Amino acid sequence: MNPRSSLPFALGLLAPILAGCAVSPDYQQPATDAGPSFTNADQPEFKADGIDSAWWKQFGDAKLSRLIELAARNNRDLKAAEANLRQARALFLEAGLELLPHVNAHGNYTSLRRSMGALNNRMYVPRDLKLYNVGFDAFWEVDIFGRLRRNAEAREAEIEVAEADRRDLIVSLVSEVARNYFELRGHQNQLAVAQKNAENQTATLELTQERQEAGIGTELDTARAKAQLDTTRATIPPIDSLIRQDIHRISVLTGQPPG
């Protein structure tokens, strides 16, 4: 076959292959605006713009701020999310470096001492040899079909995903610490009220017993005061158990031993 006549035929076979390997169009985020009748449509009064990221500081509670700082520093899940973010950034850097030429350099040094037998006892031939070898090689993959560029874009998108996961975890972590802290404070206040009521009711029972002994009060008044005191004392252990549970959850969230 004539080479000149086979060239158009080869190009005709190659053209569809090259067309199929062409770079795909850039990704465009589709428009997904919800209509006004949609249940979860955006509401102007619930926009996230301008929200204070450190909202818990508005309460002016130093202990709450300290617990949130401990959680951000010691929480294992958050550390894993930060590690994933660093990994995504490293992979993006590696993908970007693939667009550049790769150069490998090498060098070595060899020192030899030859025997007199190998030199046939020729004294004028030097026995010591010092050999140096330095060189490098380079290669560069020309990104004709956009494989490397698309790979870099995918790695960049993975960074955004890792950052979003980390932000979501921080929001959840701070919310959980604050919620358990407020519950702890509420249960501690309930315990203080119950203990104070028990003290007052104990004094009331003693006074009722004295009145009964003096013939002023009745046995019913004494039994009623004792029953009321026992009821109040019975509420203290469950509240104390809730306080211990709150402290345990906060300890786990902040990466500390329970208690």
Side-chain angles (χ1 to χ4, degrees), residues 67 70 184 188 240-259:
L67 290 174
L70 286 175
L184 171 62
Q188 288 174 337
D240 186 69
S241 177
L242 291 175
I243 290 176
R244 294 178 183 275
Q245 293 177 15
D246 294 335
I247 294 176
H248 184 96
R249 286 194 294 265
I250 293 175
S251 300
V252 173
L253 289 170
T254 55
Q256 301 180 92

Side-chain angles (χ1 to χ4, degrees), residues 23-27 143 146-155:
V23 181
S24 60
D26 293 335
Y27 172 77
D143 193 21
R147 182 186 70 85
L148 300 179
R149 282 173 288 171
R150 288 294 182 258
N151 184 40
E153 293 174 359
R155 296 301 185 184

Side-chain angles (χ1 to χ4, degrees), residues 186-196 235-237 239-240 243:
H187 292 149
Q188 288 174 337
N189 289 335
Q190 291 180 15
L191 179 62
V193 171
Q195 291 174 341
K196 187 63 176 179
T235 62
I236 293 179
I239 298 176
D240 186 69
I243 290 176

